[in-house]
Amino acid sequence: MHYKRENLLESQIILYVHALTGRFSSSHITPQNMRDLYNAFKTLLKSCAHKADTLHHYFKLYSKYADKCIGHLCRAWLFMQCGMLHDERSKFKAYTLLNQIKLDSHKHPKQTAFVYFCLGRLQKSNDEAINLYTKAIELDPINTCIYNNRASRYKQTSPELSIQDYTAAIELDPTDPHLYYNRAIMCKKYMQDAEQACSDFTKTLELNPGNVNALYFRALLYHMHLNEVDKALADYTAVIQLATDRRMLVKAFYSRGSLRAVHLDEPAAALDDFNSALKLNPLYDNALFNKKLLLVKLRKFSCIGNV
């Protein structure tokens, strides 16, 4: 049985490497290719559990199917993905391989841009990462993944530039829900632009109706900033119906309870929501405090000591 699993793993790695060499050898390294490869890698990594060394061995073995430069790029990609999973040794190997790759930016602009992109992802310094992403964009100006990554590095120090990058990426690919979601987070958190953030969360949900985070954040905007009480109530309820994560359910019950208590004057329904939140997390202080306030409002003084 163990032998069969190893053979299956080896076959998967051969297919993965062939996909890499085909993609990296072509003149079209596209955002969709990059996403496909990343998803394939995650699936492959799950299949070999914690066998990072096995992956490295097979990947090195089968990268002989590609020429030297492209083979290095394939291996660097694998090490980089392992590095993103907090494997510092893999991160170092990726960095070393990427710096060994010698590509002619005129003959191979997209491959060279991809090298800069990978190096940017490995940087701890935002300034160094931004510089590398900028070089990559100069060589591959239609790759939305690069804009998306540079935007994430801009967000702490230059939120306006971050939003510009997300906007540029959206103009290139208006069908990617992640781009709208990321821009919405920027508008909400850093720019206090509730209307634009709400619009972007709505677009995210049109493209990906299962994004519970977008639904919850839109509910908060309706509730706290836009005074759209009915829409907030509908979104909180939808989150409660869709969410599987306990922490999200706690937040949604609490937020809906707050909405019902303050804006809808429905203390009994609000109390039910606070109780639902506390059932999932008995130590949730905000729910405990607001439940006590409601019990006072409902004149249920005998119940306060039990909270």
Side-chain angles (χ1 to χ4, degrees), residues 15 41 99 111 125 137 160 163 168 175 201 215 220 230-231 233 236 242 249 266 291 297:
L15 290 172
F41 174 81
N99 280 292
Q111 286 92 335
S125 164
I137 288 170
E160 296 90 352
I163 289 174
T175 64
F201 283 133
L215 195 59
L220 286 179
D230 291 339
K231 290 181 179 179
L233 181 63
Y236 285 138
L242 292 172
L249 282 167
E266 297 177 354
K291 179 179 178 179
K297 185 175 182 177

Side-chain angles (χ1 to χ4, degrees), residues 23-62:
R23 296 277 170 80
F24 292 150
S25 297
S26 74
S27 59
H28 302 290
I29 296 179
T30 68
Q32 186 59 52
N33 285 347
M34 290 162 69
R35 283 194 291 269
D36 289 346
L37 289 171
Y38 177 66
N39 290 331
F41 174 81
K42 288 199 296 185
T43 302
L44 184 61
L45 196 64
K46 286 180 182 178
S47 73
C48 67
H50 301 294
K51 298 179 183 176
D53 286 333
T54 305
L55 262 179
H56 297 174
H57 167 73
Y58 281 127
F59 205 86
K60 183 177 180 180
L61 181 63
Y62 291 108

Side-chain angles (χ1 to χ4, degrees), residues 17-298:
V17 173
H18 279 226
L20 282 174
T21 55
R23 296 277 170 80
F24 292 150
S25 297
S26 74
S27 59
H28 302 290
I29 296 179
T30 68
Q32 186 59 52
N33 285 347
M34 290 162 69
R35 283 194 291 269
D36 289 346
L37 289 171
Y38 177 66
N39 290 331
F41 174 81
K42 288 199 296 185
T43 302
L44 184 61
L45 196 64
K46 286 180 182 178
S47 73
C48 67
H50 301 294
K51 298 179 183 176
D53 286 333
T54 305
L55 262 179
H56 297 174
H57 167 73
Y58 281 127
F59 205 86
K60 183 177 180 180
L61 181 63
Y62 291 108
S63 63
K64 67 183 180 182
Y65 290 113
D67 62 55
K68 186 173 181 181
C69 283
I70 300 301
H72 274 338
L73 188 51
C74 291
R75 291 171 59 207
W77 168 262
L78 174 81
F79 289 134
M80 185 187 75
Q81 297 303 342
C82 290
M84 294 298 104
L85 299 173
H86 310 294
D87 181 348
E88 291 299 322
R89 184 187 63 170
S90 293
K91 195 178 292 188
F92 176 76
K93 286 184 176 181
Y95 189 81
T96 302
L97 279 169
L98 288 165
N99 280 292
Q100 290 174 358
I101 296 171
K102 306 297 180 186
L103 287 171
D104 186 328
S105 61
H106 295 291
K107 291 183 179 179
H108 306 287
K110 290 184 181 290
Q111 286 92 335
T112 307
F114 191 75
V115 171
Y116 287 136
F117 168 78
C118 292
L119 285 169
R121 289 195 67 191
L122 292 167
Q123 298 301 315
K124 291 182 178 180
S125 164
N126 280 338
D127 289 341
E128 290 178 11
I130 288 167
N131 181 50
L132 288 162
Y133 288 140
T134 301
K135 289 181 178 180
I137 288 170
E138 289 170 357
L139 293 167
D140 190 1
I142 61 171
N143 193 319
T144 58
C145 289
I146 306 174
Y147 285 102
N148 184 64
N149 278 265
R150 188 173 71 173
S152 70
R153 294 296 189 129
Y154 271 138
K155 67 182 180 183
Q156 298 291 343
T157 55
S158 304
E160 296 90 352
L161 293 177
S162 179
I163 289 174
Q164 284 181 25
D165 271 356
Y166 286 132
T167 301
I170 287 168
E171 289 172 356
L172 290 166
D173 183 3
T175 64
D176 186 344
H178 301 95
L179 299 174
Y180 291 100
Y181 179 81
N182 290 340
R183 188 173 70 176
I185 293 295
M186 286 300 304
C187 290
K188 172 181 177 291
K189 185 174 181 179
Y190 294 95
M191 304 301 291
Q192 287 76 53
D193 188 345
E195 290 186 2
Q196 181 61 56
C198 190
S199 175
D200 280 344
F201 283 133
T202 298
K203 188 64 178 179
T204 302
L205 290 163
E206 287 175 8
L207 295 166
N208 179 15
N211 190 324
V212 176
N213 286 326
L215 195 59
Y216 177 72
F217 286 135
R218 188 177 70 173
L220 286 179
L221 290 170
Y222 284 143
H223 178 181
M224 307 298 292
H225 299 280
L226 300 175
N227 198 30
E228 300 261 13
V229 176
D230 291 339
K231 290 181 179 179
L233 181 63
D235 275 0
Y236 285 138
T237 301
V239 171
I240 289 167
Q241 291 170 346
L242 292 172
T244 56
D245 179 73
R246 177 184 291 263
R247 289 173 296 182
M248 177 58 76
L249 282 167
V250 169
K251 291 191 294 184
F253 275 120
Y254 170 74
S255 297
R256 190 175 71 173
S258 298
L259 182 76
R260 283 172 160 169
V262 177
H263 296 280
L264 296 174
D265 194 26
E266 297 177 354
L271 187 61
D272 287 342
D273 279 342
F274 292 143
N275 282 331
S276 295
L278 289 166
K279 186 176 180 179
L280 292 166
N281 181 1
L283 302 178
Y284 191 47
D285 289 340
N286 289 338
L288 286 167
F289 177 75
N290 282 280
K291 179 179 178 179
K292 288 180 180 180
L293 291 180
L294 275 179
L295 290 172
V296 170
K297 185 175 182 177
L298 294 169

